[in-house]
Amino acid sequence: LRVADTQADRRFNPLAGEQVRLTLADNRIEATGVLVHPERKAKVADVVIRHDLSRGAGRADLTVKDLRFGNALQPDDLTPLSLGVVANVAGVVNGAGQIRWTGDKVTSDGTFSTENMAFAAAFGPVAGLSTTIRFTDLLGLRAEPGQVVTVESVNPGIEVRDGTIRYQLLSSEVAEIEGGRWPFSGGMLELMPAPLALDSRQPRNLTFRVVGLDAGAFINTLELENISATGTFDGLLPMVFDKDGGRIVGGLLVARQEGDEPRYLTSTQGLTIPCDPERRAGRLSYVGEVSNAQL
C-alpha cells in the first residue's frame, strides 16, 4: 500500500504501508496497517480505515506513538513544509488524528504532543521545547487559538530561558503569534502579537518589548570584559529573521530614571522620551586598565 497527497503542492511525502490487512464484507471496507517511511523504514503511524460503500462515508484513525526525530528521521522526510523552518530536530512526538469523509466533504482533527524537543531555527538554536497542538483541521494544519509552547532556552545571539509563547496556526503557511514572555536580565522580554510566515523564503518580522532590564545583569549576559553598567531600561527591539539570520532594525532602549514607572512601549516611530539630568538614570563604565598606548 502506498499513501500519498494528491495536491499539486503536496503537504506530505508518500508513505509505504506494511502489515496491511483489508476486509470487504457486508458492503463495508475495513483496513489496518502501519505507515513507514519508504526509504528510512522508520515507523510513522498505525492506521485504521473504515468505509461504508452504501453511504460513501468513512474515516481513518491515525495513531502516532514514539515517533522519534534524530539521525534516522527528520521532519522534512515526512513533509516539505518543514524545510527552512526547522532542522537538526531531536525529540519524540506522540498523538492521534482522525480524517472523516462523507460524499465530497472531508473533515479532520487531532492532538499531538512533544516534550523537551531541540532543533535549529532561523532565529537560533532551541532546546527544551514542549507543547501539545490541538488541530481543528489536521490536513490543512490549522490549530485553534490559545496553543501554548514552553521553551527551556533559545539563543538568537543572546540566550533567553524559561519562555512561554501563545500561538495559533492559521494554515500551513502562516501562524499567528498571540504573545510570549521570558525572564530577561532582571526584567522581562515580551514577544508582541504578530503574524509569522512559515515559508522559509519570506522574512519573519517579530517585535520584542523589554521591561525592566537591569543593565548590570545584561552586561554579564553579554560577557563583556572590563565593562560595568547600572540602570534599568525599557524599550522595543523590532527584529527581522531571514536567510542571513536575525538582526535588530530600529530598536530603542530607554533608561528609566529615579521614580519612573515601567514604560510599556508599543512603537518606536516618532517616540521622544523626556530626560531630566537631575534624576540619575544609570552609568556605563570601562573598568579595565588603560595604558598610554591604549588610550
Side-chain angles (χ1 to χ4, degrees), residues 13-30:
N13 295 329
L15 294 174
E18 295 184 350
Q19 305 171 35
V20 176
R21 180 179 178 87
L22 186 145
T23 302
L24 171 59
D26 300 326
N27 222 26
R28 295 174 181 270
I29 293 175
E30 291 195 6

Side-chain angles (χ1 to χ4, degrees), residues 84-278:
V85 180
V86 292
N88 301 325
V89 177
V92 177
V93 174
N94 290 282
Q98 187 178 90
I99 304 167
R100 299 168 297 275
W101 55 87
T102 173
D104 294 331
K105 184 179 180 181
V106 178
T107 59
S108 60
D109 53 33
T111 301
F112 296 86
S113 301
T114 187
E115 292 186 10
N116 296 318
M117 179 173 281
F119 56 88
F123 48 80
V126 175
L129 181 144
S130 299
T131 188
T132 296
I133 306 177
R134 295 174 176 83
F135 290 98
T136 54
D137 180 355
L138 182 59
L139 292 177
L141 294 181
R142 296 182 179 89
E144 60 190 11
Q147 307 290 318
V148 177
V149 56
T150 59
V151 183
E152 184 178 303
S153 70
V154 58
N155 193 336
I158 300 172
E159 185 181 43
V160 290
R161 302 183 64 84
D162 302 324
T164 301
I165 302 169
R166 301 181 310 280
Y167 68 98
Q168 175 186 6
L169 289 178
L170 301 180
S171 69
S172 61
E173 299 178 350
V174 181
E176 183 73 27
I177 301 297
E178 298 173 352
R181 287 174 65 87
W182 290 263
F184 186 58
S185 297
M188 294 299 300
L189 187 67
E190 300 178 352
L191 175 58
M192 301 184 69
L196 178 66
L198 300 180
D199 187 340
S200 61
R201 295 167 295 183
Q202 299 185 42
R204 291 82 176 246
N205 296 278
L206 296 173
T207 299
F208 293 87
R209 180 162 57 193
V210 175
V211 181
L213 179 146
D214 180 85
F218 183 59
I219 291 296
N220 289 336
T221 300
L222 297 178
E223 298 181 351
L224 298 177
E225 295 182 1
N226 301 324
I227 296 292
S228 173
T230 63
T232 302
F233 287 81
D234 306 309
L236 283 178
L237 303 176
M239 298 192 70
V240 177
F241 299 96
D242 54 22
K243 60 182 178 61
D244 299 320
R247 61 191 182 276
I248 299 171
V249 179
L252 175 70
L253 288 175
V254 179
R256 195 185 297 176
Q257 299 184 81
E258 291 181 359
D260 277 358
E261 295 295 323
R263 296 185 178 95
Y264 293 96
L265 307 180
T266 58
S267 172
T268 61
Q269 300 299 317
L271 185 65
T272 59
I273 302 293
C275 184
D276 183 351
E278 298 299 322

